[in-house]
Amino acid sequence: MIINNWFECKVATEKTLESGATKTVTEPYLVDALNFTEAEARIIKEITPYCNGRLDVKDIRRVRYSELFMCDADDADKWFKVKCEFISLDEKTQAEKRTASLMLVQASDLHDAVRRFDEGMKGSMIDYEITTVQLTKILDVFPYEAATREKNEQPEYENHD
């Protein structure tokens, strides 16, 4: 099982406006990384090809998304944070137990986000209730790539006996 460590990175870049003037904008992206250092390196690597000027990582913070529902549709250009509660029953006390979870859904609008979330949860055996759906400012998500991580990882200890 792959455990994702999601980091939201705020990156300042120079954008050229229609008037020809340049403006510095700060935009959030999401990367899967082992730690803050790798998150910074990955976001710089991913964003640099799209920058025509200065790039500055302004902030990195760990975010806890239990799952991402990505979509290849061209119109699914937004990311929605979905908070849901998984509902279970305690067998001993017969009390209802609710466990909150945050997930990220790529969709075209709010209704599409709810639909895609429900589709993604179809195989689940547990009952759930969506409590909030919120549009985020995240522009893009860069998930874990096994080949990239394996090439870059160095063993912590080598035995030369």
Side-chain angles (χ1 to χ4, degrees), residues 21-98:
T22 58
K23 178 181 178 180
T24 301
V25 295
T26 301
E27 300 167 318
Y29 297 88
L30 198 66
V31 295
D32 180 18
L34 292 171
N35 53 42
F36 287 89
T37 303
E38 183 186 8
E40 182 177 26
R42 286 205 59 219
I43 198 60
I44 290 170
K45 180 183 173 201
E46 295 289 352
I47 301 301
T48 298
Y50 304 103
C51 293
N52 57 1
R54 201 180 105 239
L55 178 144
D56 189 19
V57 179
K58 293 290 191 181
D59 185 41
I60 300 175
R61 69 182 183 97
R62 185 182 305 271
V63 289
R64 304 246 184 243
Y65 292 115
S66 59
E67 194 162 345
L68 259 68
F69 295 97
M70 298 179 90
C71 176
D72 291 332
D74 289 339
D75 64 341
D77 59 349
K78 298 174 183 77
W79 290 94
F80 293 85
K81 180 169 51 174
V82 176
K83 183 177 179 183
C84 76
E85 291 183 347
F86 292 108
I87 306 165
S88 59
L89 197 62
D90 186 303
E91 291 181 20
K92 291 181 182 178
T93 64
Q94 295 300 308
E96 188 178 89
K97 180 181 175 188
R98 292 177 171 258

Side-chain angles (χ1 to χ4, degrees), residues 118-138:
D118 285 335
E119 282 177 9
M121 294 300 293
K122 272 186 184 168
S124 175
M125 299 292 287
I126 194 165
D127 291 332
Y128 66 91
E129 182 178 292
I130 296 173
T131 57
T132 60
V133 180
Q134 179 183 4
L135 177 63
T136 70
K137 293 183 179 185
I138 294 170

Side-chain angles (χ1 to χ4, degrees), residues 155-161:
E156 290 181 24
Y157 174 78
E158 291 183 18
N159 188 351
H160 295 287
D161 291 337

